[in-house]
């Protein structure tokens, strides 16, 4: 995986999917374990504004912290994915790559585009016909913004400010 080439204060849509579009999450425990790793490895460098874990891919909307150690951030993303891969390989007797080789980080260069990305991330389970309402998918930050859960992975205050989101949960849902 190449360096992400992130810049402080900027917003990015970071995503990757399973190699050959195969599943990367097989059980609720897998989703939870990935979120634990995400918190450990990426939150020191990035403010997570939105996230969604799908059966065969993931999406993150992030803002790079002012004093982020950017070379270390790329290393930590590799560690996140490789340690998660090793756990899945061990648990399910798999071999080979779990994720596609290159994780993408697309810069969101204006607030309108960033807000569209925020909505896109939360609508992913609906588009994939996994649920009828975004609130039904527990593996995204949608429930946190809709006031249905009090998750702490997202920096909701930063998202509200940066994306100009409504402060009332009912207006987001």
């Amino acid at each position: 995986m190449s360096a992400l080439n992130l810049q402080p204060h900027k917003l990015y849509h970071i995503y990757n999917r399973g190699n050959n579009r195969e599943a990367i999450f097989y059980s609720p425990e897998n989703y939870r374990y990935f979120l634990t790793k995400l918190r450990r490895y990426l939150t020191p460098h990035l403010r997570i504004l939105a996230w969604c874990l799908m059966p065969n891919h993931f999406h993150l909307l992030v803002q790079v912290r002012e004093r982020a150690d950017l070379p270390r951030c790329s290393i930590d993303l590799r560690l996140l994915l490789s340690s998660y891969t090793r756990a899945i390989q061990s648990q399910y007797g798999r071999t080979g790559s779990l994720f596609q080789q290159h994780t993408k980080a697309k810069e969101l260069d204006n607030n309108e585009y960033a807000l569209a990305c925020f909505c896109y991330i939360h609508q992913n389970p609906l588009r994939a016909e996994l649920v009828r309402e975004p609130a039904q998918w527990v593996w995204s930050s949608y429930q946190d913004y809709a006031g249905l859960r009090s998750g702490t992975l997202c920096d909701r205050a930063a998202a509200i400010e940066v994306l100009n989101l409504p402060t009332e949960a009912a207006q987001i849902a």
Side-chain angles (χ1 to χ4, degrees):
M1 185 182 79
S2 60
L4 293 177
N5 298 318
L6 305 177
Q7 296 177 22
H9 300 290
K10 300 235 176 179
L11 300 174
Y12 293 90
H13 178 199
I14 297 176
Y15 53 98
N16 200 338
R17 66 179 172 202
N19 198 31
N20 297 317
R21 299 178 187 224
E22 294 174 3
I24 56 176
F25 302 108
Y26 300 94
S27 71
E29 292 77 24
N30 297 154
Y31 288 97
R32 282 191 282 276
Y33 185 67
F34 187 87
L35 290 171
T36 299
K37 295 246 171 227
L38 184 64
R39 181 183 304 275
R40 175 180 175 198
Y41 286 109
L42 296 188
T43 58
H45 314 288
L46 308 171
R47 283 184 188 89
I48 298 175
L49 306 182
W51 59 271
C52 185
L53 307 182
M54 298 288 286
N56 70 346
H57 66 283
F58 68 86
H59 295 274
L60 307 172
L61 172 56
V62 303
Q63 181 182 42
V64 180
R65 294 185 185 276
E66 182 178 340
R67 292 187 175 91
D69 179 345
L70 297 176
R72 184 70 212 184
C73 182
S74 289
I75 291 167
D76 284 350
L77 179 60
R78 272 197 305 275
L79 288 172
L80 160 67
L81 298 180
S82 65
S83 64
Y84 179 78
T85 296
R86 283 192 307 277
I88 293 297
Q89 289 171 333
S90 175
Q91 184 176 7
Y92 295 101
R94 286 184 46 107
T95 58
S97 299
L98 182 63
F99 292 95
Q100 287 188 340
Q101 189 172 10
H102 297 288
T103 298
K104 307 284 193 263
K106 183 172 177 102
E107 184 181 343
L108 305 173
D109 54 8
N110 66 57
N111 285 358
E112 191 174 300
Y113 189 29
L115 182 58
C117 183
F118 178 88
C119 295
Y120 170 80
I121 286 171
H122 289 136
Q123 292 171 0
N124 239 252
L126 191 62
R127 284 197 191 109
E129 298 181 352
L130 296 171
V131 294
R132 286 195 239 179
E133 305 268 336
Q136 294 173 315
W137 190 251
V138 298
W139 306 114
S140 85
S141 54
Y142 183 88
Q143 289 187 351
D144 302 322
Y145 286 100
L148 302 172
R149 180 178 63 204
S150 301
T152 58
L153 183 59
C154 281
D155 187 332
R156 290 190 304 270
I160 288 167
E161 179 184 333
V162 171
L163 302 173
N164 198 26
L165 296 175
T167 55
E168 295 296 318
Q171 295 174 318
I172 294 172

